[in-house]
Amino acid sequence: MTESTATAGPLAGIIILDLSRALAGPFATALLTDMGAAVIKVESIKGGDSTRSWPPFENEHSLYFDSTNRGKSSLALDFYSPEGQRVLRQLALQADVLVENFRPGVLSDIGLDPAALRADKPELIIASVSGFGTSGPLSQAAGLDQVAQGMSGLMSITGADSENVYRVGVPVIDMYAGVFIAFGIASALAGKERNGNGMEVSTSLLESALAISSFQGQRYLSTGEVPVPQGNNHPVLSPYGVFKTADIPVIIAVGNDKQWRQLCTLVGDPALADEREYLTGRDRTAHRDALTARLEKLLASRPGNEWVQMFRAAKIPTGPIYNYREVFDDPQVQALDMVKNVTRHDGSHLPLLRGPLAINGEGTPIRKPPPALGGDTRRVLESLGLNEEQITGLLEAGVVREALVPQEAPL
């Protein structure tokens, strides 16, 4: 892949007006910047995206914000002033895509009624993420990730047992909603390329959470059986989960009878594979606790990392349980070259994870460090054709705001 192709990305030339805050929308638009789209993040003049004030912090920088706002330009604006709404509308009609995650109806309140926008620009794509969807008794309710985890059933199958259920350790539903809406945007752009028409695409945290229920949701729908937590065991396969060794726990994932027989031989008890209780996958799952005890007695003879190497050599999926220090020290993680070093607008160093995709074998670049609030205000306004006098007037009237340390990177 040539350098110019790698730098441009498949969405080069696409302009996205990003009015989203917190995580779902920003996660989506970060993925789109990875693909080369120019994302203009419009933030409230009163503090910007709420995650700018969320920990963890490095000095005054929110690492929560930094983690999902790579590649973007920031305009700080008063959403509710007439002058600010005129600027917003100009930006919307210049863009290919508008992304928002307000409660249903708020977009119209800030002068961006979707029907009116689409009437003036039929090819515009409007992408929305809400808490609970656009219909139903909760359509106007605020939704957050853990609420969706709880209502969707995800928490009911995550944890030690039915009395001890847990949320996932990151806002996984926000991120899935971001992935889904990014997919919807990419699909809408492909459709527009063929027929010239824009469309409105939407998802919600609740819909996204339900969509990932996979076989657990299907189990209930088809059989009426309500799934329960299985701790660190796979819910339907065995042996597949966390096992004690002589020192550390390791994950062993046996997915078929061939791997099962290999495992028994490697742990020193090949006859175990032929015992009546463990002959088939269904048998092994039915006798999971007894099987785990048998295996852990055998696994106690060696350190965990020795078992990992042995099982990997035999093509049995296995691995350790890392903390994040160990994650980033791992040779495989380092070989993926996912950590990129960028420099913030104030000159500070930021090691930042790139996006998870590769194009023609090359990982997507970080095209711009996370922006300062209003770091690109002047350049965004200039792109709309405003002259210096007009921009100065908006700044002096408090309609827009510039960062104290402007950024030098282009839009």
Side-chain angles (χ1 to χ4, degrees):
M1 182 160 74
T2 66
E3 181 63 26
S4 60
T5 303
T7 302
L11 293 182
I14 298 296
I15 298 173
I16 297 176
L17 177 60
D18 183 7
L19 305 183
S20 65
R21 308 93 59 223
L23 189 53
F27 192 80
T29 51
L31 293 173
L32 297 170
T33 70
D34 296 340
M35 295 293 104
V39 173
I40 301 171
K41 183 179 180 73
V42 182
E43 303 179 67
S44 169
I45 202 167
K46 300 175 181 178
D49 188 321
S50 55
T51 60
R52 288 187 182 274
S53 64
W54 292 5
F57 287 99
E58 180 191 16
N59 299 319
E60 75 278 15
H61 297 288
S62 165
L63 300 177
Y64 202 118
F65 176 87
D66 284 350
S67 69
T68 57
N69 285 284
R70 63 186 179 274
K72 304 174 188 179
S73 301
S74 171
L75 163 67
L77 175 140
D78 181 351
F79 283 86
Y80 291 95
S81 69
E83 297 90 344
Q85 291 185 5
R86 278 195 288 273
V87 170
L88 268 182
R89 185 172 180 81
Q90 283 181 271
L91 286 169
L93 294 177
Q94 173 185 274
D96 299 287
V97 183
L98 185 158
V99 182
E100 59 94 15
N101 61 352
F102 300 114
R103 284 181 294 103
V106 172
L107 202 59
S108 296
D109 293 343
I110 59 174
L112 297 176
D113 177 70
L117 285 176
R118 296 280 311 287
D120 287 344
K121 186 174 184 177
E123 67 271 28
L124 180 65
I125 294 164
I126 300 176
S128 304
V129 182
S130 62
F132 299 99
T134 57
S135 61
L138 295 179
S139 61
Q140 295 297 313
L144 293 174
D145 175 89
Q146 191 166 348
V147 176
Q149 288 197 37
M151 284 188 64
S152 67
L154 179 61
M155 285 180 62
S156 78
I157 56 170
T158 306
D161 52 49
S162 296
E163 300 300 317
N164 297 277
V165 297
Y166 301 120
R167 67 183 295 276
V168 179
V170 293
V172 65
I173 304 305
D174 274 331
M175 292 186 285
Y176 266 114
V179 170
F180 291 149
I181 202 65
F183 169 74
I185 290 167
S187 299
L189 286 168
K192 186 179 79 167
E193 186 71 20
R194 291 196 305 274
N195 57 37
N197 296 323
M199 61 185 69
E200 295 178 34
V201 295
S202 65
T203 190
S204 67
L205 300 187
L206 184 57
E207 288 167 288
S208 298
L210 289 169
I212 65 167
S213 65
S214 185
F215 62 87
Q216 295 285 41
Q218 194 62 50
R219 170 189 281 180
Y220 172 74
L221 290 173
S222 294
T223 71
E225 180 185 351
V226 177
V228 296
Q230 298 291 335
N232 283 318
N233 291 311
H234 191 283
V236 297
L237 299 177
S238 181
Y240 192 138
V242 176
F243 296 84
K244 297 175 184 176
T245 68
D247 53 0
I248 61 171
V250 298
I251 297 167
I252 303 170
V254 171
N256 56 52
D257 289 340
K258 179 181 177 181
Q259 290 175 348
W260 165 238
R261 290 188 172 277
Q262 289 175 311
L263 178 72
C264 292
T265 298
L266 289 171
V267 299
D269 190 0
L272 179 60
D274 294 315
E275 292 190 17
R276 180 172 53 83
E277 293 87 348
Y278 310 127
L279 278 175
T280 69
R282 180 173 292 187
D283 294 332
R284 293 189 289 274
T285 299
H287 299 91
R288 185 199 305 273
D289 291 344
L291 176 56
T292 296
R294 291 280 296 274
L295 288 174
E296 287 187 336
K297 186 175 181 180
L298 296 164
L299 292 167
S301 63
R302 290 176 182 268
N305 284 326
E306 288 188 20
W307 288 120
V308 167
Q309 296 307 315
M310 289 175 61
F311 297 154
R312 282 179 175 168
K315 310 300 184 187
I316 298 171
T318 187
I321 300 172
Y322 282 156
N323 62 38
Y324 277 104
R325 179 182 294 108
E326 294 165 326
V327 168
F328 292 114
D329 285 342
D330 185 88
Q332 178 60 36
V333 173
Q334 292 178 354
L336 294 172
D337 195 27
M338 286 192 69
V339 180
K340 301 297 184 181
N341 293 296
V342 301
T343 301
R344 295 188 185 96
H345 57 92
D346 62 359
S348 60
H349 170 249
L350 176 65
L352 193 64
L353 277 170
R354 65 166 173 82
L357 295 173
I359 300 174
N360 294 338
E362 186 171 336
T364 53
I366 295 174
R367 303 176 190 280
K368 197 169 182 285
L373 176 60
D376 304 278
T377 291
R378 186 172 294 271
R379 281 187 290 280
V380 171
L381 296 177
E382 288 172 347
S383 74
L384 293 176
L386 275 67
N387 60 34
E388 181 63 29
E389 182 180 357
Q390 291 170 313
I391 294 171
T392 299
L394 291 173
L395 288 166
E396 290 179 349
V399 175
V400 297
R401 166 182 162 183
E402 282 190 289
L404 296 178
V405 183
Q407 295 176 297
E408 299 301 326
L411 290 177

Coordinates of all heavy atoms in Angstrom, one line a residue, residues 51 57 155 317 323 362:
T51 N -17.2 14.4 28.9 CA -16.1 13.5 29.3 C -14.8 14.3 29.5 O -13.8 13.7 30.1 CB -15.8 12.4 28.3 OG1 -15.5 12.9 27.0 CG2 -17.1 11.5 28.2
F57 N -7.3 11.3 35.0 CA -6.7 12.5 34.5 C -5.2 12.3 34.4 O -4.6 11.6 35.3 CB -7.0 13.7 35.4 CG -8.4 14.3 35.2 CD1 -9.3 13.9 36.2 CD2 -8.7 15.1 34.2 CE1 -10.6 14.4 36.1 CE2 -10.0 15.5 34.0 CZ -11.0 15.2 35.0
M155 N -26.1 -8.2 32.4 CA -25.6 -8.4 33.7 C -26.1 -9.7 34.4 O -25.4 -10.2 35.2 CB -26.0 -7.2 34.6 CG -25.1 -5.9 34.3 SD -25.6 -4.5 35.3 CE -25.2 -5.1 37.0
P317 N -6.5 -23.5 22.1 CA -6.5 -22.1 22.5 C -6.3 -21.9 24.0 O -7.0 -22.6 24.8 CB -7.9 -21.6 22.0 CG -8.3 -22.6 20.9 CD -7.7 -23.9 21.3
N323 N -3.1 -8.2 33.7 CA -3.5 -6.9 34.0 C -3.0 -6.0 32.9 O -2.3 -6.5 32.0 CB -2.9 -6.4 35.4 CG -1.4 -6.4 35.4 OD1 -0.7 -6.1 34.5 ND2 -0.9 -6.8 36.6
E362 N -2.0 -2.8 6.8 CA -1.4 -1.7 7.6 C -2.4 -1.1 8.5 O -3.5 -0.8 8.1 CB -0.9 -0.7 6.6 CG -0.1 0.4 7.3 CD 0.5 1.4 6.3 OE1 0.8 1.0 5.2 OE2 0.8 2.5 6.7

